[in-house]
Amino acid sequence: MPTMLKRIIITFGFLCILIGIFGISYTWRVDHRTADSLSAYARIDFQSSYTSAGKLEGAVLSLWDYRFDGAKMEPQAVLYTDGDAWEMKAATRQSPPPGDAPGNRYKNENKLFVELPRSSLPAIKKAETVRFRFYYDNGQTIDLPLNEADLAYWQRELSKGRS
């Protein structure tokens, strides 16, 4: 009987180790994922605003990123248009994991909201490449380009009104 109990305890311990390794590797992979574009990495929303006369007034970018770790977004971001840099202050917020949301039960939701500088808007309209960089307080930097569809959408949004 002690031999059987020993086997059960060893098997249980081994299973706990395997489950732990799987969980750690999964969460690390999600928090350190790679992507080829900003919208492939996080959910983004870009909106432009116009005056009642139809003149472009400004544009804002909202970004949502879900992570298992507790790293929080830093309140700064950089927009690159064909290599020109536009540094910005951002509003950030982290929400703890909602207990009842399917799929996001253990993930922290990080939100970033930034108003793009007005001087960057003409550069975005004619840019061939646009990149966006943001930071986490654990030292991680995310620097990704817009894909072609997102860049075309941003440029259409900025060209709706009267110049």
Side-chain angles (χ1 to χ4, degrees):
M1 188 70 165
T3 306
M4 183 63 133
L5 183 61
K6 191 186 269 186
R7 284 185 181 172
I8 290 172
I9 291 172
I10 290 172
T11 303
F12 179 73
F14 184 69
L15 286 174
C16 286
I17 290 170
L18 287 177
I19 291 169
I21 290 171
F22 171 76
I24 290 170
S25 66
Y26 175 76
T27 57
W28 189 89
R29 183 175 53 94
V30 168
D31 289 346
H32 296 86
R33 62 197 176 273
T34 58
D36 58 354
S37 71
L38 186 61
S39 59
Y41 185 85
R43 188 167 58 118
I44 61 172
D45 181 39
F46 178 82
Q47 295 181 4
S48 57
S49 61
Y50 291 86
T51 65
S52 58
K55 186 169 173 76
L56 181 62
E57 187 174 46
V60 294
L61 173 65
S62 302
L63 184 141
W64 295 265
D65 185 23
Y66 296 93
R67 304 171 66 83
F68 287 103
D69 70 10
K72 295 180 180 178
M73 288 181 173
E74 294 285 342
Q76 58 189 11
V78 182
L79 178 77
Y80 297 96
T81 57
D82 292 334
D84 294 330
W86 309 90
E87 294 185 18
M88 301 167 281
K89 292 291 181 192
T92 60
R93 187 175 102 192
Q94 184 181 63
S95 302
D100 58 350
N104 294 329
R105 185 162 294 151
Y106 305 106
K107 295 180 184 178
N108 291 303
E109 179 185 52
N110 288 289
K111 298 175 187 175
L112 179 137
F113 179 82
V114 65
E115 185 175 345
L116 302 179
R118 285 187 186 175
S119 56
S120 72
L121 303 180
I124 294 171
K125 281 185 189 182
K126 60 183 178 182
E128 290 185 26
T129 60
V130 172
R131 299 182 67 83
F132 190 74
R133 177 184 289 180
F134 59 98
Y135 309 91
Y136 280 94
D137 65 1
N138 66 357
Q140 187 178 16
T141 299
I142 309 300
D143 185 353
L144 291 167
L146 294 179
N147 61 30
E148 287 181 26
D150 289 334
L151 178 58
Y153 173 77
W154 284 30
Q155 290 172 336
R156 278 193 314 274
E157 278 292 304
L158 295 174
S159 298
K160 282 183 178 178
R162 294 181 223 139
S163 298

